[in-house]
Amino acid sequence: MKRLNLICVFALIMIFSAYAQTSELRSKTNDGWKSFTENNYSINYPGTWELDQSGQMGMSFILLSPPSSEQDQFRENVNLLIQDLTVHNLDLDSYTELSLSQIKTMFGDGNLIDSRRLGSEKLDHHKVVYTGTQGIFNLKFEQYYWVINQKAYVLTLTCEESAFSEYQLIGEKILNSFIVEFN
């Protein structure tokens, strides 16, 4: 039952990535980028992107790229999901293993491209890149996982697969600006 709950939450992440809404923006930084800070984390993003904090589908926030044209049906985005792991007692290794198995469950056509541990001065995290189809969209995802104080932080860049190379550089700059404070 607990694994089923995690699978449901993971499914919601994928669905929300494809149908995100827009909202307010936060303070500007010097380079035309904005900074968003909330409780114990912060992230920077281009001033042309939109910030949605509505909390739909359990997301802490979603950053949406500007539409590429009037016919653009999908907006590339970065979103954050924070999951409470208190009752699951998962560390980064077990959370990653569970997430990888859910990718295979969620996408019959899912293709794992990359899965590796990355380190920083303060905290290790795990990077996963994969593709999958949702409805009419062929998508490519780049996710970073952290497990800190019994919480999983899942930061996801979601792009149409055909546009991934166009958004990868800016997406990774956003992902890499994410900072989690922990004690």
Side-chain angles (χ1 to χ4, degrees):
M1 185 62 151
K2 293 175 187 174
R3 285 190 183 258
L4 181 59
N5 286 342
L6 281 174
I7 290 171
C8 289
V9 169
F10 192 81
L12 293 174
I13 291 171
M14 299 301 118
I15 292 167
F16 188 75
S17 295
Y19 299 101
Q21 305 269 324
T22 62
S23 185
E24 65 182 274
L25 298 174
R26 289 276 174 140
S27 64
K28 288 191 173 191
T29 62
N30 292 336
D31 60 358
W33 280 52
K34 297 184 181 213
S35 180
F36 172 62
T37 301
E38 185 75 26
N39 298 326
N40 64 331
Y41 63 84
S42 65
I43 194 164
N44 299 324
Y45 60 97
T48 57
W49 287 43
E50 296 179 42
L51 172 66
D52 179 345
Q53 292 179 261
S54 65
Q56 291 185 24
M57 306 301 253
M59 294 295 162
S60 296
F61 68 79
I62 185 163
L63 300 169
L64 295 137
S65 68
S68 60
S69 71
E70 288 184 22
Q71 294 77 33
D72 191 2
Q73 295 182 35
F74 183 85
R75 292 175 70 185
E76 281 64 28
N77 63 81
V78 172
N79 64 66
L80 176 67
L81 175 72
I82 302 173
Q83 293 179 294
D84 183 355
L85 301 178
T86 306
V87 297
H88 304 291
N89 196 29
L90 299 173
D91 61 10
L92 183 56
D93 289 329
S94 55
Y95 185 83
T96 299
E97 183 180 321
L98 177 61
S99 296
L100 292 175
S101 71
Q102 289 174 346
I103 291 168
K104 294 172 187 170
T105 302
M106 294 301 304
F107 299 103
D109 66 342
N111 180 33
L112 182 62
I113 297 167
D114 189 15
S115 176
R116 61 184 144 135
R117 187 62 47 95
L118 301 172
S120 69
E121 290 180 19
K122 294 183 178 181
L123 187 63
D124 284 346
H125 63 284
H126 200 92
K127 175 183 176 179
V128 176
V129 179
Y130 60 97
T131 60
T133 302
Q134 285 185 337
I136 63 169
F137 299 109
N138 294 321
L139 300 176
K140 189 167 185 177
F141 305 89
E142 183 168 331
Q143 290 186 315
Y144 292 0
Y145 308 144
W146 292 265
V147 174
I148 305 166
N149 297 330
Q150 297 297 311
K151 290 184 180 179
Y153 294 79
V154 181
L155 189 63
T156 306
L157 167 65
T158 306
C159 300
E160 284 189 273
E161 191 171 2
S162 61
F164 186 81
S165 61
E166 179 183 339
Y167 285 91
Q168 184 176 14
L169 186 63
I170 194 77
E172 288 179 347
K173 187 173 179 182
I174 297 168
L175 294 173
N176 291 325
S177 77
F178 183 73
I179 298 172
V180 154
E181 301 295 327
F182 62 96
N183 298 333

